[in-house]
Coordinates of all heavy atoms in Angstrom, one line a residue:
M1 N 186.5 154.1 186.3 CA 186.9 153.7 187.6 C 185.7 153.8 188.5 O 184.8 154.6 188.4 CB 188.0 154.7 188.1 CG 188.6 154.2 189.4 SD 190.1 155.1 189.9 CE 191.3 154.5 188.8
L2 N 185.6 152.9 189.4 CA 184.5 152.7 190.3 C 184.6 153.7 191.5 O 185.7 153.8 192.1 CB 184.4 151.3 190.9 CG 183.3 150.9 191.7 CD1 182.0 150.9 190.8 CD2 183.5 149.5 192.3
N3 N 183.5 154.5 191.7 CA 183.7 155.4 192.8 C 183.1 154.8 194.1 O 182.5 153.7 194.1 CB 183.0 156.8 192.5 CG 181.5 156.7 192.4 OD1 180.8 155.8 192.9 ND2 180.9 157.5 191.6
T4 N 183.3 155.5 195.2 CA 182.9 155.0 196.5 C 181.4 154.7 196.6 O 180.9 153.8 197.2 CB 183.4 155.9 197.6 OG1 184.7 156.2 197.4 CG2 183.2 155.3 199.0
T5 N 180.6 155.6 196.1 CA 179.2 155.5 196.1 C 178.7 154.3 195.4 O 177.8 153.6 195.9 CB 178.5 156.8 195.5 OG1 179.0 157.9 196.1 CG2 177.0 156.7 195.6
D6 N 179.3 154.0 194.3 CA 178.9 152.7 193.5 C 179.3 151.5 194.4 O 178.5 150.5 194.4 CB 179.7 152.6 192.2 CG 179.1 153.6 191.2 OD1 178.0 154.2 191.4 OD2 179.9 153.9 190.2
T7 N 180.4 151.5 195.0 CA 180.8 150.4 195.8 C 179.9 150.2 197.0 O 179.4 149.1 197.3 CB 182.3 150.6 196.4 OG1 183.1 150.8 195.2 CG2 182.7 149.4 197.2
V8 N 179.5 151.3 197.7 CA 178.6 151.2 198.8 C 177.2 150.7 198.4 O 176.6 149.9 199.0 CB 178.5 152.6 199.5 CG1 177.4 152.6 200.6 CG2 179.8 152.9 200.2
S9 N 176.8 151.2 197.2 CA 175.5 150.8 196.7 C 175.5 149.3 196.3 O 174.5 148.6 196.6 CB 175.1 151.6 195.5 OG 175.0 153.0 195.8
R10 N 176.5 148.9 195.7 CA 176.6 147.5 195.4 C 176.7 146.6 196.6 O 176.0 145.5 196.7 CB 177.8 147.2 194.5 CG 177.6 147.7 193.1 CD 178.7 147.4 192.2 NE 178.5 148.0 190.9 CZ 179.4 148.0 189.9 NH1 180.5 147.4 190.1 NH2 179.1 148.5 188.8
D11 N 177.4 147.0 197.6 CA 177.5 146.3 198.9 C 176.1 146.2 199.5 O 175.8 145.1 200.0 CB 178.5 146.9 199.8 CG 180.0 146.7 199.4 OD1 180.2 145.8 198.5 OD2 180.8 147.5 199.9
K12 N 175.4 147.3 199.5 CA 174.1 147.3 200.1 C 173.1 146.4 199.4 O 172.3 145.7 200.0 CB 173.6 148.8 200.1 CG 172.1 148.9 200.6 CD 172.1 149.0 202.1 CE 170.7 149.5 202.5 NZ 169.9 148.4 203.0
L13 N 173.2 146.5 198.0 CA 172.4 145.6 197.2 C 172.6 144.1 197.5 O 171.7 143.3 197.6 CB 172.6 145.9 195.7 CG 171.7 145.2 194.8 CD1 170.2 145.5 195.0 CD2 172.1 145.5 193.3
V14 N 173.9 143.8 197.6 CA 174.3 142.4 197.9 C 173.7 142.0 199.2 O 173.2 140.9 199.4 CB 175.8 142.2 197.8 CG1 176.2 140.9 198.3 CG2 176.3 142.3 196.3
A15 N 173.9 142.8 200.2 CA 173.4 142.5 201.6 C 171.9 142.4 201.6 O 171.3 141.4 202.2 CB 173.8 143.6 202.5
D16 N 171.2 143.2 200.8 CA 169.7 143.1 200.8 C 169.3 141.8 200.1 O 168.3 141.2 200.5 CB 169.1 144.3 200.0 CG 169.2 145.6 200.8 OD1 169.5 145.6 202.0 OD2 169.1 146.7 200.2
F17 N 170.0 141.4 199.0 CA 169.6 140.2 198.4 C 169.9 139.0 199.3 O 169.2 138.0 199.2 CB 170.4 140.0 197.0 CG 169.8 140.7 195.9 CD1 170.5 141.6 195.1 CD2 168.5 140.5 195.6 CE1 169.9 142.2 194.0 CE2 167.8 141.1 194.5 CZ 168.6 141.9 193.7
K18 N 170.9 139.0 200.1 CA 171.2 138.0 201.0 C 170.1 137.8 202.0 O 169.7 136.7 202.3 CB 172.5 138.2 201.7 CG 173.7 137.9 200.9 CD 175.0 138.1 201.7 CE 176.2 137.7 200.9 NZ 177.5 137.8 201.6
V19 N 169.5 138.9 202.4 CA 168.4 138.8 203.4 C 167.2 138.2 202.7 O 166.5 137.4 203.3 CB 168.1 140.3 203.9 CG1 166.7 140.3 204.7 CG2 169.2 140.8 204.8
V20 N 166.9 138.6 201.5 CA 165.8 138.1 200.7 C 166.0 136.6 200.5 O 165.0 135.8 200.7 CB 165.6 138.8 199.4 CG1 164.6 138.1 198.5 CG2 165.2 140.2 199.6
I21 N 167.1 136.2 200.2 CA 167.4 134.7 200.0 C 167.3 134.0 201.3 O 166.7 132.9 201.3 CB 168.8 134.6 199.4 CG1 168.8 135.0 197.9 CG2 169.3 133.1 199.5 CD1 170.2 135.0 197.2
A22 N 167.7 134.5 202.4 CA 167.6 133.8 203.6 C 166.1 133.7 204.0 O 165.7 132.6 204.5 CB 168.3 134.6 204.7
D23 N 165.3 134.7 203.8 CA 163.9 134.7 204.0 C 163.2 133.6 203.1 O 162.3 132.9 203.6 CB 163.2 136.0 203.8 CG 163.6 137.0 204.9 OD1 164.2 136.6 206.0 OD2 163.4 138.2 204.7
A24 N 163.6 133.6 201.9 CA 163.0 132.6 200.9 C 163.4 131.2 201.3 O 162.5 130.3 201.3 CB 163.4 132.9 199.5
E25 N 164.6 131.0 201.8 CA 165.0 129.6 202.2 C 164.2 129.2 203.5 O 163.8 128.1 203.6 CB 166.5 129.6 202.5 CG 167.3 129.6 201.3 CD 168.8 129.7 201.6 OE1 169.2 130.2 202.6 OE2 169.6 129.2 200.7
E26 N 164.0 130.2 204.4 CA 163.2 129.9 205.6 C 161.8 129.5 205.2 O 161.2 128.6 205.7 CB 163.2 131.1 206.5 CG 162.5 130.8 207.8 CD 162.5 132.0 208.8 OE1 163.3 133.0 208.5 OE2 161.8 131.9 209.8
L27 N 161.2 130.2 204.2 CA 159.9 129.9 203.7 C 159.8 128.5 203.1 O 158.8 127.8 203.4 CB 159.4 131.0 202.7 CG 158.0 130.8 202.1 CD1 157.0 131.0 203.2 CD2 157.8 131.9 201.0
L28 N 160.8 128.2 202.4 CA 160.9 126.8 201.8 C 160.9 125.8 202.9 O 160.2 124.7 202.8 CB 162.1 126.7 200.9 CG 162.0 127.2 199.5 CD1 163.4 127.0 198.8 CD2 161.0 126.5 198.7
K29 N 161.7 126.0 204.0 CA 161.7 125.0 205.1 C 160.4 124.9 205.8 O 160.0 123.8 206.2 CB 162.8 125.4 206.1 CG 164.2 125.2 205.5 CD 165.3 125.7 206.5 CE 166.7 125.7 205.9 NZ 167.7 126.3 206.8
L30 N 159.7 126.0 206.0 CA 158.5 126.1 206.7 C 157.4 125.4 205.9 O 156.4 124.8 206.5 CB 158.0 127.5 207.0 CG 158.9 128.2 208.1 CD1 158.5 129.7 208.2 CD2 158.8 127.5 209.4
T31 N 157.4 125.3 204.6 CA 156.4 124.7 203.8 C 156.7 123.3 203.3 O 156.0 122.7 202.6 CB 156.1 125.6 202.5 OG1 157.3 125.7 201.7 CG2 155.6 127.0 202.9
T32 N 157.8 122.8 203.9 CA 158.2 121.4 203.4 C 157.2 120.4 203.7 O 156.9 119.5 202.9 CB 159.5 121.1 204.1 OG1 160.5 122.0 203.8 CG2 160.0 119.7 203.7
G33 N 156.5 120.5 204.8 CA 155.5 119.5 205.2 C 154.1 119.7 204.5 O 153.3 118.8 204.6
Q34 N 154.0 120.8 203.8 CA 152.7 121.1 203.1 C 152.6 120.2 201.9 O 153.6 120.0 201.2 CB 152.7 122.5 202.7 CG 152.8 123.5 203.9 CD 151.5 123.5 204.7 OE1 150.4 123.4 204.3 NE2 151.7 123.7 206.0
A35 N 151.4 119.7 201.6 CA 151.2 118.9 200.4 C 150.4 119.7 199.4 O 149.8 120.7 199.6 CB 150.4 117.7 200.8
G36 N 150.5 119.2 198.2 CA 149.8 119.9 197.1 C 150.7 120.0 195.9 O 151.9 120.3 196.0
E37 N 150.2 119.7 194.7 CA 150.9 119.7 193.5 C 151.5 121.1 193.2 O 152.6 121.3 192.8 CB 150.1 119.2 192.3 CG 150.8 119.0 191.0 CD 150.0 118.4 189.9 OE1 149.2 117.5 190.2 OE2 150.1 118.9 188.8
K38 N 150.6 122.1 193.3 CA 151.0 123.5 193.0 C 152.1 124.0 193.9 O 153.0 124.6 193.5 CB 149.8 124.4 193.0 CG 148.9 124.3 191.8 CD 147.8 125.3 191.8 CE 146.9 125.1 190.6 NZ 145.9 126.2 190.6
L39 N 151.9 123.7 195.2 CA 152.9 124.1 196.2 C 154.2 123.4 196.0 O 155.3 124.1 196.1 CB 152.4 123.8 197.6 CG 153.2 124.4 198.8 CD1 153.3 125.9 198.7 CD2 152.5 124.0 200.1
T40 N 154.2 122.2 195.6 CA 155.5 121.5 195.3 C 156.1 122.1 194.1 O 157.4 122.3 194.1 CB 155.2 120.0 195.0 OG1 154.5 119.4 196.2 CG2 156.5 119.2 194.7
D41 N 155.4 122.4 193.1 CA 155.9 123.1 191.9 C 156.5 124.5 192.2 O 157.6 124.8 191.8 CB 154.8 123.3 190.8 CG 155.3 123.8 189.5 OD1 156.4 123.4 189.1 OD2 154.7 124.8 189.0
V42 N 155.8 125.2 193.1 CA 156.3 126.5 193.5 C 157.6 126.4 194.3 O 158.6 127.1 194.1 CB 155.3 127.3 194.3 CG1 155.9 128.6 194.9 CG2 154.1 127.7 193.4
R43 N 157.6 125.4 195.2 CA 158.9 125.2 196.0 C 160.0 124.8 195.1 O 161.2 125.3 195.3 CB 158.6 124.1 197.0 CG 158.1 124.6 198.3 CD 158.2 123.6 199.4 NE 157.8 122.3 199.1 CZ 156.6 121.8 199.4 NH1 155.7 122.5 200.0 NH2 156.2 120.5 199.1
T44 N 159.8 124.0 194.1 CA 160.9 123.6 193.2 C 161.4 124.8 192.4 O 162.6 125.0 192.3 CB 160.3 122.5 192.2 OG1 159.9 121.4 193.0 CG2 161.4 122.0 191.3
R45 N 160.5 125.6 191.8 CA 160.9 126.7 191.1 C 161.7 127.7 192.0 O 162.7 128.3 191.6 CB 159.7 127.4 190.4 CG 159.2 126.7 189.2 CD 158.1 127.5 188.5 NE 156.9 127.5 189.3 CZ 156.1 128.5 189.4 NH1 156.2 129.6 188.8 NH2 155.0 128.3 190.2
L46 N 161.2 127.9 193.2 CA 161.8 128.9 194.1 C 163.2 128.4 194.5 O 164.1 129.1 194.5 CB 160.9 129.1 195.4 CG 161.5 130.1 196.4 CD1 161.7 131.4 195.8 CD2 160.5 130.1 197.6
S47 N 163.3 127.1 194.7 CA 164.6 126.5 195.1 C 165.6 126.7 193.9 O 166.7 127.1 194.2 CB 164.4 125.0 195.4 OG 165.6 124.5 195.8
D48 N 165.2 126.5 192.7 CA 166.0 126.6 191.5 C 166.5 128.1 191.4 O 167.6 128.4 191.1 CB 165.4 126.2 190.2 CG 165.1 124.7 190.2 OD1 165.8 124.0 191.0 OD2 164.3 124.2 189.4
R49 N 165.5 129.0 191.6 CA 165.9 130.4 191.5 C 166.8 130.9 192.6 O 167.6 131.8 192.4 CB 164.6 131.2 191.5 CG 163.8 131.1 190.2 CD 162.5 131.8 190.1 NE 161.8 131.6 188.9 CZ 160.6 131.8 188.7 NH1 159.8 132.3 189.6 NH2 160.0 131.6 187.5
L50 N 166.6 130.3 193.8 CA 167.5 130.7 194.9 C 169.0 130.3 194.6 O 169.9 131.0 194.9 CB 167.0 130.0 196.2 CG 165.9 130.7 196.9 CD1 165.4 129.8 198.1 CD2 166.2 132.1 197.3
V51 N 169.1 129.1 194.0 CA 170.5 128.7 193.6 C 171.1 129.6 192.6 O 172.2 130.1 192.8 CB 170.4 127.2 193.1 CG1 171.8 126.8 192.4 CG2 170.0 126.2 194.2
T52 N 170.3 130.0 191.6 CA 170.8 131.0 190.6 C 171.1 132.3 191.3 O 172.1 132.9 191.0 CB 169.7 131.2 189.5 OG1 169.4 129.9 189.0 CG2 170.2 132.1 188.5
A53 N 170.2 132.8 192.2 CA 170.5 134.1 192.8 C 171.7 134.0 193.7 O 172.5 135.0 193.7 CB 169.2 134.5 193.7
K54 N 171.9 132.9 194.4 CA 173.2 132.8 195.2 C 174.4 132.9 194.3 O 175.4 133.5 194.7 CB 173.1 131.5 196.0 CG 172.2 131.5 197.2 CD 172.3 130.2 197.9 CE 171.5 130.1 199.1 NZ 171.6 128.8 199.8
D55 N 174.4 132.2 193.2 CA 175.5 132.2 192.3 C 175.8 133.7 191.8 O 176.9 134.1 191.7 CB 175.3 131.3 191.1 CG 175.3 129.8 191.5 OD1 175.9 129.5 192.6 OD2 174.8 129.0 190.7
R56 N 174.7 134.4 191.4 CA 174.9 135.7 190.9 C 175.4 136.6 192.0 O 176.2 137.5 191.7 CB 173.6 136.2 190.4 CG 173.2 135.6 189.1 CD 171.9 136.1 188.5 NE 171.6 135.5 187.2 CZ 170.5 135.6 186.6 NH1 169.5 136.4 187.1 NH2 170.3 135.0 185.5
I57 N 174.9 136.5 193.2 CA 175.4 137.3 194.3 C 176.9 137.0 194.6 O 177.6 138.0 194.8 CB 174.5 137.1 195.6 CG1 173.2 137.7 195.4 CG2 175.2 137.7 196.8 CD1 172.2 137.5 196.5
A58 N 177.3 135.8 194.5 CA 178.7 135.5 194.7 C 179.5 136.1 193.7 O 180.6 136.6 193.9 CB 178.9 133.9 194.8
D59 N 179.0 136.1 192.4 CA 179.8 136.7 191.3 C 179.9 138.2 191.5 O 180.9 138.8 191.3 CB 179.1 136.4 190.0 CG 179.2 135.0 189.6 OD1 180.1 134.2 190.1 OD2 178.4 134.5 188.7
A60 N 178.7 138.8 192.0 CA 178.7 140.3 192.2 C 179.7 140.7 193.3 O 180.4 141.6 193.2 CB 177.3 140.7 192.5
E61 N 179.7 139.9 194.4 CA 180.6 140.1 195.5 C 182.1 140.0 195.0 O 182.9 140.9 195.4 CB 180.4 139.1 196.6 CG 179.3 139.5 197.5 CD 179.2 138.5 198.7 OE1 179.1 137.3 198.4 OE2 179.2 139.0 199.8
F62 N 182.4 139.0 194.2 CA 183.7 138.9 193.7 C 184.1 140.1 192.9 O 185.2 140.6 193.0 CB 183.8 137.5 192.9 CG 185.2 137.3 192.3 CD1 186.2 136.9 193.1 CD2 185.4 137.6 191.0 CE1 187.5 136.7 192.6 CE2 186.7 137.4 190.4 CZ 187.7 136.9 191.2
A63 N 183.2 140.5 192.0 CA 183.5 141.6 191.1 C 183.7 142.9 191.9 O 184.6 143.7 191.6 CB 182.3 141.8 190.1
V64 N 182.9 143.1 193.0 CA 183.1 144.3 193.8 C 184.4 144.2 194.5 O 185.2 145.2 194.6 CB 181.9 144.4 194.8 CG1 182.2 145.4 195.9 CG2 180.6 144.8 194.1
R65 N 184.8 143.1 195.1 CA 186.1 142.9 195.8 C 187.2 143.2 194.8 O 188.2 143.9 195.2 CB 186.2 141.5 196.4 CG 185.8 141.5 197.8 CD 186.1 140.2 198.5 NE 184.9 139.5 198.7 CZ 184.5 138.4 198.2 NH1 185.3 137.7 197.3 NH2 183.3 137.8 198.4
E66 N 187.2 142.6 193.6 CA 188.2 142.8 192.6 C 188.4 144.3 192.2 O 189.5 144.8 192.1 CB 188.0 141.9 191.4 CG 188.2 140.5 191.7 CD 189.6 140.1 192.2 OE1 190.6 140.6 191.6 OE2 189.6 139.5 193.3
Q67 N 187.2 144.9 192.0 CA 187.3 146.4 191.6 C 187.8 147.2 192.8 O 188.6 148.1 192.6 CB 185.9 146.8 191.2 CG 185.8 148.2 190.7 CD 186.6 148.3 189.3 OE1 186.6 147.4 188.6 NE2 187.2 149.5 189.1
T68 N 187.4 146.9 194.0 CA 187.9 147.6 195.2 C 189.5 147.4 195.3 O 190.2 148.4 195.6 CB 187.2 147.1 196.5 OG1 185.8 147.3 196.3 CG2 187.7 147.9 197.7
K69 N 189.9 146.2 195.0 CA 191.4 146.0 195.1 C 192.1 146.8 194.0 O 193.2 147.4 194.3 CB 191.7 144.5 194.9 CG 191.4 143.6 196.0 CD 191.7 142.2 195.7 CE 191.2 141.2 196.8 NZ 191.4 139.8 196.5
K70 N 191.5 146.9 192.8 CA 192.1 147.6 191.7 C 192.2 149.1 192.1 O 193.3 149.7 191.9 CB 191.3 147.5 190.4 CG 191.5 146.1 189.8 CD 190.6 146.1 188.5 CE 190.7 144.7 187.9 NZ 189.8 144.6 186.7
V71 N 191.2 149.6 192.7 CA 191.1 151.0 193.1 C 192.2 151.3 194.2 O 192.9 152.3 194.2 CB 189.7 151.5 193.5 CG1 189.8 152.8 194.2 CG2 188.8 151.5 192.4
A72 N 192.3 150.3 195.1 CA 193.2 150.5 196.2 C 194.7 150.4 195.7 O 195.5 151.2 196.1 CB 193.0 149.4 197.3
F73 N 194.9 149.5 194.8 CA 196.3 149.4 194.2 C 196.6 150.7 193.4 O 197.7 151.2 193.4 CB 196.4 148.2 193.4 CG 196.6 146.9 194.2 CD1 195.8 145.8 193.8 CD2 197.4 146.8 195.2 CE1 195.9 144.6 194.6 CE2 197.5 145.7 196.0 CZ 196.7 144.6 195.6
A74 N 195.6 151.2 192.6 CA 195.9 152.4 191.8 C 196.1 153.6 192.8 O 197.0 154.4 192.5 CB 194.7 152.7 191.0
T75 N 195.4 153.7 193.8 CA 195.6 154.8 194.8 C 197.0 154.7 195.4 O 197.7 155.7 195.6 CB 194.5 154.8 195.9 OG1 193.2 154.9 195.2 CG2 194.7 155.9 196.9
D76 N 197.3 153.5 195.8 CA 198.6 153.2 196.5 C 199.8 153.6 195.5 O 200.7 154.2 195.9 CB 198.7 151.8 196.9 CG 200.0 151.5 197.7 OD1 200.2 152.2 198.7 OD2 200.8 150.6 197.2
D77 N 199.6 153.2 194.2 CA 200.6 153.4 193.2 C 200.7 155.0 193.0 O 201.8 155.5 192.9 CB 200.2 152.7 191.9 CG 201.3 152.8 190.9 OD1 202.5 152.6 191.2 OD2 201.0 153.1 189.7
Y78 N 199.6 155.7 192.9 CA 199.6 157.1 192.7 C 200.3 157.8 193.9 O 201.1 158.7 193.7 CB 198.2 157.7 192.6 CG 198.2 159.1 192.4 CD1 198.4 159.7 191.1 CD2 198.0 160.0 193.5 CE1 198.4 161.1 191.0 CE2 198.0 161.4 193.3 CZ 198.2 161.9 192.1 OH 198.2 163.3 191.9
V79 N 200.0 157.4 195.1 CA 200.6 158.0 196.3 C 202.1 157.8 196.3 O 202.9 158.7 196.7 CB 199.9 157.5 197.6 CG1 200.7 157.9 198.8 CG2 198.5 158.0 197.7
H80 N 202.5 156.6 195.9 CA 204.0 156.3 195.9 C 204.7 157.1 194.8 O 205.8 157.5 195.0 CB 204.2 154.8 195.7 CG 204.1 154.1 197.0 ND1 202.9 153.6 197.5 CD2 205.0 153.8 198.0 CE1 203.1 153.0 198.6 NE2 204.3 153.1 199.0
K81 N 204.0 157.3 193.7 CA 204.7 158.1 192.6 C 204.6 159.6 192.8 O 205.4 160.3 192.3 CB 204.0 157.7 191.3 CG 204.3 156.3 190.8 CD 203.6 156.1 189.5 CE 204.0 154.7 189.0 NZ 203.3 154.3 187.7
N82 N 203.6 160.0 193.5 CA 203.4 161.5 193.8 C 203.2 161.8 195.2 O 202.1 162.2 195.6 CB 202.2 162.0 193.0 CG 202.3 161.6 191.5 OD1 203.2 162.1 190.8 ND2 201.4 160.8 191.1
P83 N 204.2 161.6 196.1 CA 204.0 161.7 197.5 C 203.6 163.1 197.9 O 202.7 163.3 198.8 CB 205.3 161.2 198.1 CG 206.3 161.4 197.1 CD 205.6 161.2 195.8
W84 N 204.3 164.1 197.4 CA 204.0 165.5 197.8 C 202.7 166.0 197.3 O 202.0 166.8 198.0 CB 205.1 166.4 197.4 CG 206.4 166.1 198.1 CD1 207.5 165.6 197.7 CD2 206.6 166.4 199.5 NE1 208.4 165.4 198.7 CE2 207.9 165.9 199.8 CE3 205.8 166.9 200.6 CZ2 208.4 166.0 201.1 CZ3 206.3 167.0 201.8 CH2 207.6 166.5 202.1
Q85 N 202.3 165.6 196.1 CA 200.9 166.0 195.7 C 199.9 165.3 196.6 O 198.8 165.9 196.9 CB 200.7 165.6 194.2 CG 201.6 166.4 193.3 CD 201.4 165.9 191.8 OE1 201.0 164.7 191.6 NE2 201.9 166.7 190.9
S86 N 200.1 164.1 197.0 CA 199.2 163.4 197.8 C 199.1 164.1 199.2 O 198.0 164.2 199.7 CB 199.6 161.9 198.0 OG 199.6 161.3 196.7
V87 N 200.2 164.5 199.7 CA 200.2 165.2 201.0 C 199.5 166.5 200.9 O 198.7 166.9 201.8 CB 201.7 165.4 201.6 CG1 201.7 166.3 202.7 CG2 202.3 164.0 201.9
G88 N 199.7 167.2 199.8 CA 199.1 168.5 199.6 C 197.6 168.3 199.4 O 196.8 169.1 200.0
A89 N 197.1 167.3 198.7 CA 195.7 167.1 198.5 C 195.1 166.7 199.8 O 194.0 167.2 200.2 CB 195.5 166.0 197.5
A90 N 195.7 165.9 200.6 CA 195.2 165.5 201.9 C 195.1 166.7 202.9 O 194.1 166.9 203.6 CB 196.0 164.4 202.6
A91 N 196.1 167.5 202.8 CA 196.1 168.7 203.7 C 195.0 169.7 203.2 O 194.3 170.3 204.1 CB 197.5 169.4 203.6
G92 N 194.8 169.8 201.9 CA 193.7 170.7 201.4 C 192.4 170.2 201.8 O 191.5 170.9 202.2
L93 N 192.2 168.9 201.7 CA 190.9 168.3 202.0 C 190.7 168.4 203.5 O 189.5 168.8 204.0 CB 190.9 166.8 201.7 CG 189.6 166.1 201.9 CD1 188.5 166.7 201.1 CD2 189.8 164.6 201.5
A94 N 191.7 168.2 204.3 CA 191.5 168.4 205.8 C 191.2 169.8 206.1 O 190.4 170.1 207.0 CB 192.8 167.9 206.5
F95 N 191.8 170.8 205.5 CA 191.5 172.2 205.7 C 190.1 172.5 205.4 O 189.4 173.2 206.2 CB 192.5 173.1 204.8 CG 192.2 174.5 205.0 CD1 192.6 175.2 206.1 CD2 191.6 175.2 204.0 CE1 192.3 176.6 206.3 CE2 191.3 176.6 204.1 CZ 191.7 177.3 205.2
L96 N 189.6 172.0 204.2 CA 188.2 172.3 203.8 C 187.2 171.6 204.8 O 186.2 172.2 205.2 CB 188.0 171.7 202.4 CG 188.6 172.6 201.3 CD1 188.4 171.8 200.0 CD2 188.0 174.0 201.3
L97 N 187.5 170.4 205.2 CA 186.7 169.7 206.2 C 186.7 170.5 207.5 O 185.6 170.6 208.2 CB 187.1 168.3 206.4 CG 186.8 167.4 205.3 CD1 187.4 166.0 205.5 CD2 185.3 167.2 205.0
G98 N 187.8 171.0 207.9 CA 187.9 171.8 209.1 C 187.1 173.1 209.0 O 186.4 173.5 210.0
L99 N 187.1 173.7 207.9 CA 186.3 174.9 207.7 C 184.8 174.6 207.7 O 184.0 175.3 208.4 CB 186.6 175.6 206.3 CG 187.9 176.4 206.2 CD1 188.0 176.9 204.7 CD2 187.8 177.6 207.1
L100 N 184.4 173.5 207.1 CA 183.0 173.1 207.1 C 182.5 172.8 208.5 O 181.4 173.1 208.9 CB 182.7 172.0 206.1 CG 182.9 172.3 204.7 CD1 182.8 171.1 203.8 CD2 181.8 173.4 204.3
A101 N 183.4 172.0 209.2 CA 183.0 171.6 210.6 C 183.0 172.8 211.5 O 182.2 172.9 212.5 CB 184.0 170.6 211.1
G102 N 183.8 173.8 211.3 CA 183.9 175.0 212.1 C 182.6 175.9 212.0 O 182.3 176.7 212.9
R103 N 182.0 175.8 210.8 CA 180.8 176.6 210.6 C 179.6 176.1 211.3 O 178.6 176.9 211.5 CB 180.5 176.7 209.1 CG 181.5 177.5 208.4 CD 181.1 177.7 206.9 NE 182.1 178.5 206.2 CZ 182.0 178.8 205.0 NH1 181.0 178.4 204.3 NH2 182.9 179.6 204.4
R104 N 179.5 174.9 211.7 CA 178.3 174.4 212.4 C 178.3 174.7 213.8 O 178.6 175.0 214.7 CB 178.3 172.8 212.2 CG 178.1 172.5 210.8 CD 177.9 171.0 210.6 NE 177.6 170.8 209.2 CZ 176.9 169.8 208.7 NH1 176.4 169.0 209.5 NH2 176.6 169.7 207.5

C-alpha cells in the first residue's frame, strides 16, 4: 500500500518535472530564430524528449491519482466496517498529539 510520504514525494517530483519541462519549452522558443545545424539538431532532440517526458509525467500523475483513490476507498471501507475501532484510533491519536503539543 502507498503511504503518504510516497504520495507527497511523487507529487513533488511531478511538479518539479513540470517546471523543468516548462523551462525547456521556453528555451526552445527563445532559440527558434537561431541558425545552425547543431542547434537545429539539439532543438529537435530536445523537442522529442519533451514530448516523451510529458507523456511519462501524465502517466505518473494518473498512477498517483489512482493509487490515492484506492487508499481512500480502502480507508473508507475500513472505517465503515470498523466504526468503533476507527473512533478509538482517532481519539488515541488526538490524545498523543495533544500530549506532544502540550510539552512545547
